[in-house]
Amino acid sequence: MINAELHRQPVMLDRKKHQHLKLRRDVNPLAAGAGLNAFFIAGSEFADACKTYPIVFLPSGKDANGQAQALPVAVFGLNPGENLFWQDGRWDAAYVPAMLRAYPFTLSKVEGDQYAMCFDEAAPNLSTEQGEPLFDAAGEPVPMLKELHEFVKQLEIEIERTRLGCVRLLELGLLVPRRFDATLSDGSSFSVDGFLMLDEDKLNKLSDTELATLQRSGLLGLLHAHQISLGNMRNLINRRLSRAQAATDNALASAASA
């Protein structure tokens, strides 16, 4: 899946055209997510991601059949462009979403059920001068590229499973618009809206058969992880306050030494 916020200049990887392309291990690819305040995660990532990030769902339009769509995201910040997990040139969290770890590579549907490996041509960790070659002298993918291809292939499978799962949750009316309100220690307040969360009342009103179906499909487990993850909203606020305090302390220290 090509993510427009991440893959700024997506290009299909071609073994002839890009035979001399190299991957630079000395450049942190996660810098591409420095300005993201939320990012897609697949259902298979919920168990790890819920320990660190709030997980919410975003409406994503309708498919060709008019079916409403939604996608889950891990929340990194409370304002547009704010990533509270990117600090001092590194990702400050135990878990990083799979699509970010795969950057600058991804898969894109080209025709029917056919997919092609793509990459972000603007990625700073790609070069024709430095790094590990993607192809050997005969133009064949090196083992590293084969492993990356398998990684994004499996991720694409999980993305489709997640999409279908979200369709089912919407059909059942379990995902509804919500707003998050908070008051900071200085008395100021803010609100975050535009996302979807679980409607617990509707979940509790499902029949035993519907609940059993959700359980067998794994969707009930995802909803539980989603609920657990919401406790991390307070952690985001604390991160923001700590960063603001650090900025204030640095400014005072600079003024005192001037």
Side-chain angles (χ1 to χ4, degrees), residues 15-22 127-129 133-135:
R15 68 177 64 203
K16 292 183 179 179
K17 184 178 180 180
H18 304 116
Q19 184 174 358
H20 302 295
L21 199 61
K22 297 177 174 63
S127 170
T128 56
E129 305 296 329
L134 302 184
F135 300 97

Side-chain angles (χ1 to χ4, degrees), residues 99-117:
M99 192 179 294
L100 278 173
R101 284 183 278 127
Y103 183 81
F105 301 101
T106 188
L107 286 190
S108 177
K109 185 175 288 189
V110 291
E111 184 177 353
D113 293 329
Q114 299 298 310
Y115 287 82
M117 193 169 189

Side-chain angles (χ1 to χ4, degrees), residues 16 38 63 87 101 130 165 173 194 201 221 233:
K16 292 183 179 179
D63 63 15
Q87 188 167 14
R101 284 183 278 127
Q130 306 174 56
D201 288 338
M233 280 292 191

Side-chain angles (χ1 to χ4, degrees), residues 33-100:
L36 300 177
N37 76 324
F39 195 70
F40 169 82
I41 59 170
S44 58
E45 301 182 79
F46 274 41
D48 289 317
C50 75
K51 300 171 186 176
T52 302
Y53 314 105
I55 299 172
V56 298
F57 299 82
L58 296 181
S60 57
K62 297 182 179 181
D63 63 15
N65 299 317
Q67 179 68 57
Q69 306 278 295
L71 290 175
V73 296
V75 181
F76 304 149
L78 301 170
N79 286 324
E82 177 185 66
N83 187 336
L84 297 169
F85 293 93
W86 179 257
Q87 188 167 14
D88 299 327
R90 66 183 184 88
W91 199 274
D92 184 26
Y95 185 78
V96 179
M99 192 179 294
L100 278 173

Side-chain angles (χ1 to χ4, degrees), residues 232-249:
N232 292 317
M233 280 292 191
R234 174 52 57 183
N235 295 337
L236 277 185
I237 294 173
N238 291 337
R239 278 178 175 265
R240 174 191 272 187
L241 293 174
S242 295
R243 189 166 294 189
Q245 185 61 54
T248 299
D249 292 344

Side-chain angles (χ1 to χ4, degrees), residues 172-176 178 197-207 210-211 223 227:
L172 292 171
L174 294 176
L175 299 180
V176 295
R178 286 285 188 264
M197 287 172 47
L198 171 66
D199 185 323
E200 293 187 47
D201 288 338
K202 289 185 179 180
L203 179 64
N204 292 332
K205 291 176 182 178
L206 292 181
S207 67
E210 288 171 323
L211 284 171
L223 291 176
Q227 290 177 296

